[in-house]
């Protein structure tokens, strides 16, 4: 009897210089850990803050599920999982808009503010998806339209209705709102940069080409987990009997 051994590799070997694969790996773990952290902390907060912290956990949990899939997809095909990337965003970015609304409710935020922000975020993402996929020969144009929606959101939270509500709320809500505003202005700006590294446009001549996925993975970790921690921190400060 011969001693043949049959290996059927169900897992692809990840090379040490595969930064995309590596950041997908770290990303899925970080999103999962963050979700456990937010979910398990829930019971210590006052009722009115639980929804906000629950949404933080849902954002990282939805991302975790997508990251597990995207990590495997990348390992199998060495190709960007663009479609599921955008499915993830279309679910999680509106939930981030919801976070703004939830913390501003104390100052009387109306639902139309929430719907306006969700609408703008969907426009931003759908046009970005067009530019990366079906209309990639006009990526700069679609990226520009997406950018307009993005800056509209930035305007809304920094100077528009949302900012006025934050000032009216004052205290810890105002402070947290300000930090979230910085996340949107600086943390979210990594996405258009990633987009420009991955598509052809006037910017390609000086930016060159790079890995879209590494940029998106780093941005997701910063923004989704960071956002959640700001909300968590606000809930800790606003709940009388919790020690941070
Ligand atoms: C958790 C996921 C988040 C916070 C995703 C945010 C995505 C963006 C802010 C994407 C913005 C884009 C532009 C402003 C222009 C180019 C196309 C996009 C969609 C990458």
């Amino acid at each position: 009897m011969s001693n043949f051994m049959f290996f059927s590799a169900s897992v692809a070997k990840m090379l040490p210089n595969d930064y995309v694969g590596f950041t997908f790996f770290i990303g899925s773990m970080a999103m999962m850990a963050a979700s456990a952290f937010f979910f398990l902390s829930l019971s210590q907060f006052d009722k009115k803050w639980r929804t906000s912290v629950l949404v933080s956990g849902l954002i990282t949990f939805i991302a975790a599920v997508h990251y597990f899939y995207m990590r495997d997809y990348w390992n199998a095909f060495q190709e960007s999982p663009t479609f599921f990337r955008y499915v993830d965003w279309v679910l999680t970015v509106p939930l981030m808009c919801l976070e703004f609304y939830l913390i501003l409710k104390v100052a009387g935020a109306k639902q139309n503010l929430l719907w306006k922000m969700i609408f703008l975020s969907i426009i931003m993402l759908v046009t970005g998806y067009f530019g990366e996929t079906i209309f990639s020969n006009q990526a700069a144009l679609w990226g520009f339209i997406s950018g307009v929606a993005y800056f509209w959101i930035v305007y809304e939270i920094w100077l528009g209705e949302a900012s006025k509500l934050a000032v009216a709320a004052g205290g810890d809500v105002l402070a947290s709102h300000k930090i979230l505003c910085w996340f949107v202005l600086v943390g979210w700006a990594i996405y258009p940069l990633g987009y420009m590294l991955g598509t052809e446009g006037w910017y390609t001549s000086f930016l060159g080409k790079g890995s879209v996925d590494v940029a998106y993975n780093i941005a997701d970790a910063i923004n989704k987990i960071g956002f959640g921690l700001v909300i968590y921190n606000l809930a800790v400060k606003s709940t009388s009997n919790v020690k941070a």
Side-chain angles (χ1 to χ4, degrees):
M1 268 239 298
S2 55
N3 257 325
F4 284 117
M5 287 175 81
F6 293 98
F7 288 104
S8 77
S10 57
V11 160
K13 187 189 270 182
M14 199 193 294
L15 299 171
N17 62 350
D18 179 0
Y19 300 111
V20 175
F22 182 70
T23 50
F24 271 128
F25 186 86
I26 296 288
S28 31
M29 195 162 45
M31 295 296 180
M32 205 66 234
S35 310
F37 177 81
F38 294 131
F39 290 148
L40 292 171
S41 76
L42 273 180
S43 63
Q44 63 186 323
F45 301 122
D46 285 346
K47 263 223 166 69
K48 66 169 188 175
W49 290 107
R50 283 189 204 156
T51 315
S52 302
V53 179
L54 175 66
V55 171
S56 294
L58 288 177
I59 291 169
T60 51
F61 186 73
I62 291 170
V65 173
H66 285 82
Y67 265 76
F68 285 122
Y69 178 76
M70 292 195 288
R71 186 194 66 188
D72 291 349
Y73 184 100
W74 173 263
N75 283 338
F77 307 112
Q78 301 285 302
E79 214 174 78
S80 289
T82 307
F83 179 72
F84 280 92
R85 170 80 70 189
Y86 276 85
V87 173
D88 173 0
W89 290 353
V90 158
L91 297 171
T92 52
V93 175
L95 287 174
M96 294 169 101
C97 297
L98 177 63
E99 294 283 33
F100 276 101
Y101 168 76
L102 286 175
I103 70 168
L104 294 176
K105 249 170 59 173
V106 288
K110 305 235 169 41
Q111 274 193 19
N112 74 328
L113 171 68
L114 172 64
W115 292 119
K116 191 199 285 179
M117 286 182 61
I118 291 180
F119 174 75
L120 290 168
S121 69
I122 302 283
I123 297 286
M124 172 182 87
L125 296 172
V126 169
T127 51
Y129 182 73
F130 284 166
E132 279 199 56
T133 57
I134 354 179
F135 304 121
S136 60
N137 55 335
Q138 294 172 318
L141 174 66
W142 289 99
F144 176 77
I145 301 171
S146 173
V148 171
Y150 166 63
F151 278 113
W152 201 327
I153 297 172
V154 169
Y155 170 82
E156 201 54 56
I157 56 173
W158 275 89
L159 304 162
E161 199 184 333
S163 82
K164 294 188 183 94
L165 288 164
V167 171
D172 292 331
V173 170
L174 175 60
S176 304
H177 176 84
K178 267 275 121 71
I179 304 174
L180 293 183
C181 282
W182 278 107
F183 269 100
V184 173
L185 183 65
V186 180
W188 288 23
I190 304 170
Y191 297 99
L193 197 68
Y195 178 93
M196 292 195 276
L197 289 173
T199 55
E200 286 288 345
W202 51 269
Y203 37 78
T204 310
S205 54
F206 61 90
L207 270 184
K209 285 284 201 171
S211 173
V212 209
D213 289 292
V214 172
Y216 288 168
N217 290 351
I218 292 173
D220 275 356
I222 294 175
N223 290 301
K224 291 183 166 63
I225 300 172
F227 237 70
L229 288 173
V230 174
I231 300 290
Y232 170 85
N233 192 41
L234 176 59
V236 168
K237 283 188 179 152
S238 314
T239 298
S240 34
N241 53 354
V242 184
K243 289 173 283 297

